[in-house]
Amino acid sequence: MLESPPLGVAIVGGGPAGLMAAEVLSNAGVQVDVFDAMPSFGRKFLLAGIGGLNLTHSEDYAKFCTRYADRLPHLQTTLDLLPPERLCEWVHELGIETFVGTSGRVFPKEMKAAPLLRAWLHRLRGMGVRMHVRHRWQGWNGKGQLQFSTPNGLVEYLPKATVLALGGASWPKLGSDGAWVPWLRNSGVEVAELESANCGFEVNWSDYLREKFAGAPLKSVALKFTDLQGQVIERQGEMVIGQHGVEGSLVYAFSREIRQRLNAQGDATFALDLLPGRSLDRVRAELAGWARSSQSISSYFKNKLGIAGVKLALLHEVLGKDEFKNLEKLVSTIKALPITVHAVRPIDEAISTAGGVRFESMNSNYMLTNKPGTFVAGEMLDWEAPTGGYLLTACFATGMAAGQGVLRWLNDSTTD
């Protein structure tokens, strides 16, 4: 057994939520120790930066907040602590410039996560935050001490307070493996089952489609879906035909609603508009001359409608040969091609997870009611949001809120 480090506040998890909690506490003069299972901090954060590190979104703040759906009542006050504009100011204070992309998403000017993370870690170390890598949390022992396995053996640590920021379960190779779930449940904490979010879905494609078009992007399409409450949602964008089904940003935007219907009914069907820029009447008019044309299906559809490749293959996937001769059936399918999904792709393929520590298990300071002095932040909590900067913003914000919660709890404990 190794000697425990001096008492302080322990942050378990060195991602955005944990590091933000560490900054809040250190700014207030509290000694902070950050522990992470990996050889370095922010592994998942760095991976997110490969695609440009979408920090937040510049849309109207009221609309921004709606992206958290039914969890907004729990998150609104927290998001108000660090709204997108303030988050950008914080990034600028680290010496990192940002810009707004054409979609409204906000990125670092260098389109990388590493410079931001380096600057942040440098500032935290300068503030006296102590960093401990290769410390894998193993729950609590019988005395209520935190237990960490390290290359040198087991370390037990009894801090003044603890912030758990261990992430969900969608990136096990980067440390977010959900191993914390049974330890919290055994302590009486309510944890909603972790599920895939911002994920792909399985479709029973034909062998032909799978072999010829797996990995093919579907551009300029619109997806329409009716959720369990009967609300019709529609959005235009891009998606990908995968080996096992569908994936990509447009699908991810609907993943919550599709997953909920799958859980309730066993399958879910959405409609895909292959030509969202053209009305039903226009498509009908453009197809009316096909019967009199000597061109093949592929030539006519490509030249007249711009439908070729994977889009044409999808039409063949759902329509029989005779149905191609039925003008109304053909037109309606082009404008609303049905795709039925029957399963969610595995959680270790997902961008993020839904489920986690229920808000009902915490007080307004993010402290667990069954574990006084233990706070939770980030993706461990039972919320989800689409990609587009919403995930990172809430992780930063809940980390800030948890850090402030620790300060209030320490102050109250000292007063008592």
Side-chain angles (χ1 to χ4, degrees), residues 104-155:
R105 300 182 180 199
V106 180
F107 300 90
K109 189 174 181 180
E110 294 184 61
M111 295 291 285
K112 296 178 182 178
L116 191 158
L117 183 60
R118 280 197 302 269
W120 195 9
L121 292 174
H122 178 75
R123 182 163 76 181
L124 290 172
R125 289 189 177 100
M127 295 164 65
V129 175
R130 296 183 294 213
M131 309 286 189
H132 309 270
V133 296
R134 295 187 173 90
H135 279 61
R136 185 173 295 277
W137 188 50
Q138 301 294 321
W140 295 274
N141 64 15
K143 298 178 181 178
Q145 295 172 307
L146 299 172
Q147 298 183 114
F148 297 93
S149 62
T150 77
N152 298 316
L154 187 69
V155 172

Side-chain angles (χ1 to χ4, degrees), residues 192-258:
E193 199 67 33
L194 296 178
E195 299 182 280
S196 299
N198 290 296
C199 57
F201 295 90
E202 297 184 2
V203 180
N204 292 322
W205 296 132
S206 65
D207 291 340
Y208 172 79
L209 189 76
R210 187 179 296 111
E211 291 168 6
K212 296 291 185 180
F213 293 100
L218 264 174
K219 298 184 178 182
S220 299
V221 293
L223 193 156
K224 181 185 289 187
F225 184 72
T226 303
D227 65 18
L228 284 176
Q229 289 70 47
Q231 180 181 359
V232 178
I233 317 163
E234 186 170 9
R235 181 176 298 185
Q236 188 169 335
E238 299 182 6
M239 55 186 283
V240 175
I241 299 300
Q243 179 73 20
H244 302 286
V246 291
E247 55 191 74
S249 59
L250 185 58
V251 174
Y252 301 156
F254 288 80
S255 64
R256 174 178 174 270
E257 291 80 11
I258 294 175

Side-chain angles (χ1 to χ4, degrees), residues 101-390:
T102 54
S103 64
R105 300 182 180 199
V106 180
F107 300 90
K109 189 174 181 180
E110 294 184 61
M111 295 291 285
K112 296 178 182 178
L116 191 158
L117 183 60
R118 280 197 302 269
W120 195 9
L121 292 174
H122 178 75
R123 182 163 76 181
L124 290 172
R125 289 189 177 100
M127 295 164 65
V129 175
R130 296 183 294 213
M131 309 286 189
H132 309 270
V133 296
R134 295 187 173 90
H135 279 61
R136 185 173 295 277
W137 188 50
Q138 301 294 321
W140 295 274
N141 64 15
K143 298 178 181 178
Q145 295 172 307
L146 299 172
Q147 298 183 114
F148 297 93
S149 62
T150 77
N152 298 316
L154 187 69
V155 172
E156 295 179 333
Y157 182 35
L158 187 62
K160 295 177 180 177
T162 301
V163 177
L164 300 177
L166 291 153
S170 58
W171 295 92
K173 292 182 179 179
L174 302 179
S176 297
D177 56 11
W180 50 268
V181 172
W183 297 324
L184 267 64
R185 283 178 173 165
N186 289 340
S187 296
V189 179
E190 291 184 54
V191 181
E193 199 67 33
L194 296 178
E195 299 182 280
S196 299
N198 290 296
C199 57
F201 295 90
E202 297 184 2
V203 180
N204 292 322
W205 296 132
S206 65
D207 291 340
Y208 172 79
L209 189 76
R210 187 179 296 111
E211 291 168 6
K212 296 291 185 180
F213 293 100
L218 264 174
K219 298 184 178 182
S220 299
V221 293
L223 193 156
K224 181 185 289 187
F225 184 72
T226 303
D227 65 18
L228 284 176
Q229 289 70 47
Q231 180 181 359
V232 178
I233 317 163
E234 186 170 9
R235 181 176 298 185
Q236 188 169 335
E238 299 182 6
M239 55 186 283
V240 175
I241 299 300
Q243 179 73 20
H244 302 286
V246 291
E247 55 191 74
S249 59
L250 185 58
V251 174
Y252 301 156
F254 288 80
S255 64
R256 174 178 174 270
E257 291 80 11
I258 294 175
R259 187 189 68 245
Q260 288 176 341
R261 184 169 287 279
L262 272 173
N263 289 343
Q265 300 179 355
D267 61 25
T269 300
F270 60 82
L272 204 61
D273 186 345
L274 300 180
L275 296 173
R278 306 188 193 194
S279 68
L280 199 71
D281 288 341
R282 181 180 172 188
V283 174
R284 183 183 293 109
E286 289 172 334
L287 281 173
W290 178 39
R292 301 184 299 273
S293 171
S294 61
Q295 295 185 63
S296 64
I297 291 176
S298 57
S299 295
Y300 190 91
F301 275 53
K302 181 178 181 180
N303 296 333
K304 200 70 175 176
L305 299 169
I307 290 179
V310 65
K311 286 188 176 182
L312 185 58
L314 282 172
L315 285 173
H316 282 292
E317 191 80 359
V318 300
L319 293 176
K321 185 176 180 180
D322 290 339
E323 290 177 303
F324 266 86
K325 300 175 183 178
N326 183 326
L327 179 62
E328 289 307 313
K329 180 68 174 179
L330 182 57
V331 171
S332 64
T333 304
I334 288 172
K335 293 298 291 179
L337 186 144
I339 294 179
T340 298
V341 304
H342 60 85
V344 179
R345 289 300 295 161
I347 201 167
D348 60 359
E349 294 181 11
I351 291 176
S352 59
T353 50
V357 177
R358 295 187 185 278
F359 285 91
E360 292 78 8
S361 286
M362 307 180 300
N363 65 16
S364 59
N365 289 324
Y366 287 83
M367 186 173 76
L368 297 173
T369 52
N370 280 2
K371 294 285 292 183
T374 299
F375 300 73
V376 183
E379 204 178 328
M380 286 181 71
L381 299 169
D382 183 19
W383 62 275
E384 63 180 300
T387 56
Y390 311 106

